[in-house]
Amino acid sequence: MTVTQSAPAVRTQPGPTDNQAVLIVHGKDRTGIVAAISAVLGKHDANIVSLDQYSDNPHGGAFFQRTVFALDHLKARLPQVELDLQAKLAEGFELEYTLRDLSVPKRVAIFASKDDHCLLDLLWRHRRGELPINVSMVISNHPDTANEVRFFGVPFFHVPSAGPDKSAAEAQHLQLLRGNVDFIVLARYMQILSGDFIGRVGVPIINIHHSFLPSFIGAGPYAKAKQRGVKLVGATAHYVTEDLDEGPIIEQDVIRVSHADTVADLQRRGADVERAVLSRAVRWHSEDRVIRHENHTIVFAG
Ligand SMILES: Nc1nc2c(c(=O)[nH]1)N[C@@H](CN(C=O)c1ccc(C(=O)N[C@@H](CCC(=O)O)C(=O)O)cc1)CN2
């Protein structure tokens, strides 16, 4: 049972998701789950506005459901909805859930390095209202984008890479984060995170890898692609695990290239794909559309 509550957003006008909540349920499949969830919501006169459900085996396996519902006076009534949901799920179900007020955006910290196209794209889309997030800070091991980031009104922190000994730099990151974020985005951040950091930070980390994984894991994928003579290059957004570029994939895309493209051409053309793939992954994660299961994801894309 987890209830994720982000920092309250400052809002002046009712938004499209005011008085709406998202309920994610997943676990051991059996008959009666959809009915049980619907019964709890119906008891509270909550109106289901969207419902996505998937079972990975018709004969019994894993169950996944995303439900968005509208409920007047949501903030005051959500705690009782949750208590009734807990009681219902205790009746012979083996399920986990998260329940979140959609009017409270998730807080995100963005890590960046020298290549800033993904970082600036996220900040630009956020300013246009395309991403339901609250950007708490940007941390970069390069100082170059400080002015641009501050132009977007986002705190910027420069934490230089400390070479082979990453522990000091990672300790600085943890100090800056201080548990004030709901997830982290690596926007072409070019430092390998230690398993200790990943464990201690305790929130999901999304990375954009500049290749169509599992091809070309690690550094320099465009040079590797050119060397291999590929006809497609791509990008992959995935959750970060200790195993480099091996985490559960959230979103991918590709673009056609030719023999005449130089590595610089591949980097330039691939950057468009990176930006699109990362922004979709960040939006879907922010809207609780992605459920991690073993080493893959169920994505109820919207
Ligand atoms: N634990 C993880 N850390 C990171 C992941 C991950 O999946 N698990 N993804 C990378 C991003 N990345 C490719 O997308 C990547 C970044 C950095 C390197 C690398 O070899 N870095 C060197 C230093 C390079 C430099 O200083 O320019 C290193 O860290 O020793 C490979 C792949 C982000 N982190």
Side-chain angles (χ1 to χ4, degrees):
M1 176 273 292
T2 309
V3 174
T4 304
Q5 193 60 38
S6 304
V10 177
R11 187 193 291 279
T12 54
Q13 296 297 327
T17 57
D18 276 11
N19 285 325
Q20 288 191 24
V22 57
L23 171 62
I24 302 296
V25 177
H26 61 101
K28 185 177 180 182
D29 198 4
R30 54 156 280 189
T31 57
I33 301 175
V34 178
I37 295 168
S38 301
V40 170
L41 297 180
K43 172 186 173 185
H44 289 271
D45 200 29
N47 180 37
I48 294 175
V49 297
S50 75
L51 189 155
D52 296 280
Q53 189 271 330
Y54 168 70
S55 295
D56 67 0
N57 183 328
H59 306 295
F63 172 93
F64 309 88
Q65 181 169 310
R66 176 183 187 269
T67 310
V68 176
F69 60 89
L71 182 62
D72 291 340
H73 312 297
L74 179 78
K75 292 189 189 305
R77 300 168 69 183
L78 203 55
Q80 189 58 53
V81 173
E82 181 178 8
L83 288 174
D84 290 350
L85 179 70
Q86 286 174 340
K88 176 63 72 174
L89 296 186
E91 296 173 6
F93 297 101
E94 296 177 65
L95 297 167
E96 297 177 49
Y97 75 91
T98 60
L99 178 58
R100 190 168 69 85
D101 178 348
L102 275 174
S103 70
V104 181
K106 290 186 180 181
R107 299 159 300 174
V108 61
I110 304 174
F111 293 5
S113 293
K114 187 166 183 58
D115 290 333
D116 57 10
H117 54 284
C118 288
L119 164 65
L120 296 179
D121 183 73
L122 287 177
L123 294 177
W124 181 77
R125 290 178 190 268
H126 173 243
R127 189 172 64 174
R128 286 167 49 88
E130 292 180 25
L131 300 175
I133 54 177
N134 181 344
V135 183
S136 302
M137 68 188 78
V138 169
I139 304 176
S140 177
N141 59 334
H142 286 257
D144 306 1
T145 46
N147 292 332
E148 288 93 335
V149 171
R150 293 189 183 112
F151 168 76
F152 285 98
V154 174
F156 177 90
F157 300 96
H158 174 218
V159 179
S161 299
D165 174 20
K166 298 174 183 278
S167 58
E170 289 186 346
Q172 277 188 271
H173 283 79
L174 289 167
Q175 177 60 28
L176 288 167
L177 295 167
R178 287 195 310 275
N180 293 328
V181 296
D182 300 300
F183 71 106
I184 294 168
V185 173
L186 307 185
R188 290 297 306 276
Y189 182 68
M190 298 311 289
Q191 295 300 308
I192 298 174
L193 300 176
S194 68
D196 177 63
F197 177 85
I198 295 168
R200 290 172 66 187
V201 80
V203 297
I205 303 172
I206 295 174
N207 178 58
I208 183 70
H209 181 68
H210 36 316
S211 83
F212 188 71
L213 289 175
S215 298
F216 312 132
I217 282 176
Y222 289 122
K224 296 172 185 172
K226 177 64 180 176
Q227 178 63 30
R228 184 67 184 80
V230 301
K231 302 307 179 184
L232 295 170
V233 294
T236 303
H238 64 92
Y239 288 112
V240 167
T241 64
E242 191 169 357
D243 300 321
L244 186 63
D245 299 332
E246 298 271 6
I249 291 172
I250 305 168
E251 172 63 332
Q252 296 184 289
D253 207 344
V254 294
I255 191 170
R256 186 163 295 280
V257 296
S258 85
H259 59 278
D261 285 316
T262 65
V263 173
D265 292 327
L266 299 184
Q267 289 170 335
R268 172 179 50 80
R269 301 177 66 183
D272 290 339
V273 186
E274 294 167 42
R275 283 190 286 253
V277 166
L278 181 57
S279 60
R280 287 199 295 270
V282 169
R283 181 165 58 81
W284 291 343
H285 178 85
S286 304
E287 295 172 349
D288 289 336
R289 294 179 177 277
V290 186
I291 305 174
R292 289 176 68 160
H293 180 64
E294 294 164 356
N295 196 42
H296 62 270
T297 62
I298 288 81
V299 180
F300 293 124

